[in-house]
Coordinates of all heavy atoms in Angstrom, one line a residue:
T1 N 38.2 41.4 0.1 CA 37.8 42.9 0.0 C 38.5 43.4 -1.2 O 39.4 42.8 -1.8 CB 38.4 43.7 1.2 OG1 39.8 43.6 1.2 CG2 37.8 43.2 2.5
V2 N 38.1 44.6 -1.6 CA 38.7 45.3 -2.8 C 40.1 45.6 -2.5 O 41.0 45.3 -3.3 CB 37.9 46.7 -3.1 CG1 38.7 47.5 -4.0 CG2 36.5 46.4 -3.6
E3 N 40.4 46.1 -1.3 CA 41.8 46.4 -0.9 C 42.7 45.2 -0.9 O 43.8 45.3 -1.5 CB 41.8 47.0 0.5 CG 43.2 47.4 1.0 CD 43.2 48.1 2.4 OE1 42.1 48.4 2.9 OE2 44.3 48.1 3.0
A4 N 42.3 44.1 -0.4 CA 43.1 42.9 -0.4 C 43.2 42.3 -1.8 O 44.2 41.8 -2.2 CB 42.5 41.8 0.5
G5 N 42.1 42.4 -2.6 CA 42.2 42.0 -4.0 C 43.2 42.8 -4.8 O 43.9 42.2 -5.7
L6 N 43.2 44.1 -4.6 CA 44.2 45.0 -5.3 C 45.6 44.6 -5.0 O 46.5 44.4 -5.8 CB 43.9 46.4 -5.0 CG 42.6 47.0 -5.5 CD1 42.4 48.4 -4.9 CD2 42.6 47.1 -7.0
A7 N 45.8 44.3 -3.7 CA 47.2 43.9 -3.2 C 47.6 42.6 -3.8 O 48.7 42.4 -4.3 CB 47.2 43.9 -1.7
A8 N 46.6 41.6 -3.9 CA 46.9 40.3 -4.4 C 47.2 40.4 -5.9 O 48.1 39.7 -6.4 CB 45.7 39.4 -4.2
C9 N 46.5 41.2 -6.6 CA 46.8 41.3 -8.1 C 48.1 42.0 -8.3 O 48.8 41.6 -9.3 CB 45.6 42.1 -8.7 SG 44.1 41.2 -8.9
Q10 N 48.4 43.0 -7.5 CA 49.7 43.7 -7.6 C 50.9 42.7 -7.4 O 51.8 42.7 -8.1 CB 49.8 44.8 -6.6 CG 51.0 45.7 -6.8 CD 51.0 46.6 -8.0 OE1 49.9 47.0 -8.5 NE2 52.1 46.9 -8.6
E11 N 50.7 41.9 -6.3 CA 51.8 40.9 -6.0 C 51.9 39.8 -6.9 O 53.0 39.4 -7.3 CB 51.5 40.4 -4.6 CG 52.6 39.4 -4.1 CD 52.3 38.9 -2.7 OE1 51.5 39.5 -1.9 OE2 53.0 37.9 -2.3
H12 N 50.8 39.2 -7.4 CA 50.8 37.9 -8.1 C 50.6 38.1 -9.6 O 50.8 37.1 -10.3 CB 49.8 37.0 -7.5 CG 50.0 36.6 -6.1 ND1 51.0 35.7 -5.7 CD2 49.4 37.0 -5.0 CE1 51.0 35.6 -4.4 NE2 50.0 36.4 -3.9
R13 N 50.2 39.2 -10.1 CA 50.0 39.4 -11.5 C 49.3 38.2 -12.2 O 49.8 37.5 -13.0 CB 51.3 39.7 -12.2 CG 52.1 40.9 -11.7 CD 53.4 41.1 -12.3 NE 53.4 41.1 -13.8 CZ 53.2 42.2 -14.5 NH1 53.1 43.4 -13.9 NH2 53.2 42.2 -15.8
P14 N 48.0 38.1 -11.8 CA 47.3 36.8 -12.2 C 47.0 36.8 -13.7 O 46.8 37.9 -14.4 CB 46.0 36.9 -11.4 CG 45.7 38.4 -11.2 CD 47.1 39.0 -11.0
D15 N 46.9 35.6 -14.2 CA 46.4 35.4 -15.6 C 44.9 35.3 -15.6 O 44.3 35.7 -16.6 CB 46.9 34.0 -16.1 CG 48.5 34.0 -16.1 OD1 49.1 34.8 -16.8 OD2 49.0 33.1 -15.4
V16 N 44.3 34.9 -14.5 CA 42.9 34.8 -14.3 C 42.5 35.4 -13.0 O 43.1 35.1 -12.0 CB 42.4 33.3 -14.4 CG1 40.9 33.2 -14.1 CG2 42.8 32.6 -15.6
L17 N 41.4 36.2 -13.1 CA 40.9 36.8 -11.9 C 39.4 36.4 -11.7 O 38.6 36.6 -12.7 CB 40.9 38.3 -12.0 CG 40.2 39.2 -10.9 CD1 40.9 38.9 -9.5 CD2 40.3 40.7 -11.3
I18 N 39.1 35.7 -10.7 CA 37.7 35.3 -10.4 C 37.2 36.3 -9.4 O 37.8 36.4 -8.3 CB 37.6 33.9 -9.9 CG1 38.1 32.9 -11.0 CG2 36.2 33.5 -9.5 CD1 38.2 31.5 -10.6
L19 N 36.1 37.0 -9.7 CA 35.8 38.2 -9.0 C 34.3 38.3 -8.7 O 33.4 38.1 -9.5 CB 36.2 39.4 -9.9 CG 35.9 40.8 -9.4 CD1 36.7 41.1 -8.2 CD2 36.2 41.8 -10.6
D20 N 34.0 38.7 -7.4 CA 32.7 39.0 -7.0 C 32.6 40.5 -7.1 O 33.6 41.3 -6.8 CB 32.5 38.6 -5.5 CG 31.1 38.9 -5.0 OD1 30.2 39.3 -5.7 OD2 30.9 38.7 -3.8
L21 N 31.5 41.0 -7.6 CA 31.3 42.5 -7.8 C 31.0 43.2 -6.5 O 31.4 44.3 -6.2 CB 30.3 42.8 -8.8 CG 30.7 42.3 -10.2 CD1 29.5 42.7 -11.2 CD2 32.0 42.9 -10.7
G22 N 30.2 42.5 -5.6 CA 29.7 43.2 -4.4 C 30.6 42.8 -3.2 O 30.5 41.8 -2.6
L23 N 31.5 43.7 -2.9 CA 32.5 43.5 -1.9 C 32.2 44.5 -0.7 O 31.7 45.6 -1.0 CB 33.9 43.6 -2.4 CG 34.3 42.6 -3.4 CD1 35.6 42.9 -4.1 CD2 34.4 41.2 -2.8
P24 N 32.6 44.2 0.5 CA 32.2 45.0 1.6 C 32.8 46.4 1.6 O 32.2 47.4 2.1 CB 32.7 44.2 2.9 CG 33.6 43.3 2.4 CD 33.3 43.0 0.9
D25 N 33.9 46.6 0.9 CA 34.6 47.9 0.9 C 34.5 48.6 -0.5 O 35.2 49.6 -0.7 CB 36.0 47.8 1.4 CG 36.9 46.9 0.5 OD1 36.3 46.1 -0.2 OD2 38.1 47.1 0.6
G26 N 33.6 48.1 -1.4 CA 33.5 48.8 -2.6 C 33.1 47.9 -3.8 O 32.8 46.7 -3.6
D27 N 33.2 48.4 -5.0 CA 32.9 47.7 -6.2 C 34.0 46.9 -6.7 O 35.1 47.3 -6.9 CB 32.5 48.8 -7.3 CG 32.0 48.2 -8.5 OD1 31.9 47.0 -8.7 OD2 31.6 49.0 -9.4
G28 N 33.7 45.6 -6.9 CA 34.7 44.7 -7.4 C 35.3 45.0 -8.8 O 36.4 44.6 -9.1
M29 N 34.6 45.8 -9.6 CA 35.1 46.2 -10.9 C 36.4 47.0 -10.7 O 37.2 47.0 -11.6 CB 34.1 47.0 -11.7 CG 33.0 46.2 -12.2 SD 33.6 44.8 -13.3 CE 34.2 45.7 -14.6
K30 N 36.6 47.7 -9.6 CA 37.8 48.4 -9.4 C 39.0 47.4 -9.4 O 40.1 47.8 -10.0 CB 37.8 49.2 -8.1 CG 39.0 49.9 -7.7 CD 38.9 50.7 -6.5 CE 40.2 51.5 -6.2 NZ 40.1 52.3 -5.0

């Protein structure tokens, strides 16, 4: 989900993000 993706990026500070745009709780671009 967008919410879980945001939390994962905050925690892990990724060098690479593999992202689906159509997520159940919003736009993946966020």
